[in-house]
Amino acid sequence: MSLLPSTYVVDIADSVGETVRLAGWVYHKTEKGKLVFIQLRDGTGVIQCVVFKKNVSEDVFERAKQLTQESSLYVTGTVRADERSALGFEIDVSDIEVVDLANEYPITPKEHGTQFLMEHRHLWVRSSKQHALLRIRAEVIAAAQEYLNSEHFVRYDTPLLTATAAEGTTNLFATDYFDLGKAYLAQTGQLYVESGMSTFGRVYCFGPTFRAEKSKTRRHLTEFWMIEPEVAFADQDDNMELQENFVAYIVQRVLDRCGEALKVLERDTASLEQVVPPFPRMSYDEAVERIQQAVREGVTVPPEDQPLPSIEWGEDFGAPHETFLASLNQKPVFIYNYPTVVKAFYMQPAEGRPEVVRCADLLAPEGYGEIIGGSQRIHDPQLLEQRIREHGLNLEDYQWYVDLRRYGTVPHAGFGMGIERCTAWIAGTHHIRETIPFPRQLYRLYP
Ligand code: 4AD
Ligand code: MG
């Protein structure tokens, strides 16, 4: 015996005129005299099921009337094409089997505050907008991996419990690790994935990463997912080319396969259609000049038309700066060659200009900020050791990492794309917290 339905809403067009048995939950229900309309949600889509008193037994009609929001059930009926319905198809119901008559559901079609919805995140994920966002997230992940797999990259998993810092020491989550002292949750898989670079030439790691950031912005989570490709015999120019092809592929895949979800979110897809290589590139030097000029002209930036804060060469950009820089283009933009002082220890200095490093941040349009951070890595062991010391890190802890430069070192480069930032941009949703089933934030650990 099987408990599965005979088909799913997403495939319903194949069953026009046939009798099907669907399984799902009541998204909505309305009654009108001899009719009960059930919006049945089966996870793959929502379909209107029409229960007409004349077509069913009295018992079935009563059951239909008693259904509450989110009750689980099987619906049997005939599939009818109907141009008036949003989906283009409806079910003329002949039978209903209730699995569970749901208790009064806390999330109703009325407006709820964010706080309330976040407290009920485990249920909120069933709502159409959340369903759409998480559908797009899944497509971003699938597309990212498929692109890399098809380009000869090999997935190479890196540890989440680590002994050292990779992206600064100020935002580490620490935990006691038996007799070995402290372990830290990985901020990135990069250092480890670099070892795989020498094994496979082209590798990527993909998994959760952790940053104990005390920032409450709409772009920050304390736990986020990152995909990090690493390429042997590659410089920063190769790196940017890979990134633009990678991002363009992901956007196109979402446009191709998530049309329904994008519609639910009312995403303007015209701007996404333009995301084709090449992406514009602007040096950090020029970016600073453009910002300084904009400050003199009194330029303001969304969301609240705040004046652009001024910046000096050598400082990192804030969110308003990134929003301004991204607004100069329709496509994502690379800002490259940042000052050495604001970036990680492992980045390759630019030739003849050690005050800047061969790196780039990819800024998404429309104020979504940095979606990718990437760089060419130092491949000279002495220089790497010097940089580790300059950053006040314990050289002993990084011997294995320097070893990677002692046995057949090669120029190599890579990057990390945050899944949630990328999803927020493509889906056009304001806050990153809705792009992951259970966001971990400064003030949120439940549910
Ligand atoms: O720029 P980041 O810190 O780069 C790295 O971690 C490198 N090791 C990556 C590499 O070269 N392999 O982070 C990369 C990306 C950012 O561009 C952003 O998309 C995301 O990770 N990210 C965050 N997303 C959500 N919340 C946070 N707190 C994030 N911090 C970084
Ligand atoms: Mg970064």
Side-chain angles (χ1 to χ4, degrees), residues 250-420:
I250 293 169
V251 169
Q252 194 53 53
R253 261 276 295 252
V254 172
L255 284 169
D256 288 347
R257 301 202 187 176
C258 297
E260 201 48 49
L262 291 166
K263 209 154 52 179
V264 167
L265 298 167
E266 295 172 28
R267 178 65 164 116
D268 162 31
T269 49
S271 61
L272 294 178
E273 300 281 1
Q274 298 179 24
V275 181
V276 285
F279 296 169
R281 291 149 165 71
M282 185 190 283
S283 70
Y284 170 89
D285 298 346
E286 185 186 341
V288 168
E289 274 170 32
R290 296 287 283 267
I291 292 168
Q292 288 172 341
Q293 190 189 340
V295 169
R296 286 194 293 276
E297 290 165 359
V299 167
T300 60
V301 286
E304 271 124 28
D305 272 338
Q306 49 180 320
L308 199 55
S310 72
I311 187 170
E312 294 303 321
W313 196 100
E315 289 172 353
D316 205 355
F317 299 131
H321 300 128
E322 291 187 348
T323 300
F324 166 74
L325 293 169
S327 74
L328 303 173
N329 293 284
Q330 304 276 347
K331 295 188 201 180
V333 57
F334 289 110
I335 309 293
Y336 65 90
N337 284 11
Y338 280 70
T340 310
V341 288
V342 301
K343 289 294 183 187
F345 71 87
Y346 52 72
M347 293 188 186
Q348 174 74 23
E351 219 170 292
R353 253 196 104 186
E355 72 278 15
V356 299
V357 276
R358 297 273 279 147
C359 70
D361 284 358
L362 184 65
L363 309 183
E366 304 165 69
Y368 289 96
E370 177 199 326
I371 53 170
I372 288 183
S375 63
Q376 187 173 329
R377 326 302 191 186
I378 293 175
H379 63 280
D380 177 83
Q382 277 84 42
L383 178 57
L384 184 60
E385 289 195 335
Q386 181 194 324
R387 299 289 296 138
I388 290 170
R389 267 188 245 105
E390 283 168 6
H391 272 254
L393 299 168
N394 181 9
L395 194 53
E396 276 307 297
D397 296 340
Y398 294 86
Q399 278 309 320
W400 71 269
Y401 186 62
V402 182
D403 258 359
L404 302 176
R405 279 84 178 153
R406 292 191 178 114
Y407 308 97
T409 191
V410 294
H412 60 286
F415 65 90
M417 184 183 80
I419 295 296
E420 293 78 16

Side-chain angles (χ1 to χ4, degrees), residues 166-167 171 187-191 193 205 209-211 213 215 219-230 239 343-344 346-347 360-362 369-375 377 413-422 432:
E167 299 291 331
N171 58 8
Q187 302 160 303
T188 169
Q190 181 202 317
L191 271 48
V193 92
C205 59
T209 46
F210 305 87
R211 310 253 171 119
E213 302 199 84
S215 40
R219 296 172 178 180
H220 287 91
L221 297 170
T222 56
E223 175 180 309
F224 62 97
W225 288 62
M226 185 154 52
I227 189 154
E228 299 182 81
E230 191 73 30
N239 200 17
K343 289 294 183 187
Y346 52 72
M347 293 188 186
D361 284 358
L362 184 65
E370 177 199 326
I371 53 170
I372 288 183
S375 63
R377 326 302 191 186
F415 65 90
M417 184 183 80
I419 295 296
E420 293 78 16
R421 295 252 185 107
C422 181
I432 192 173

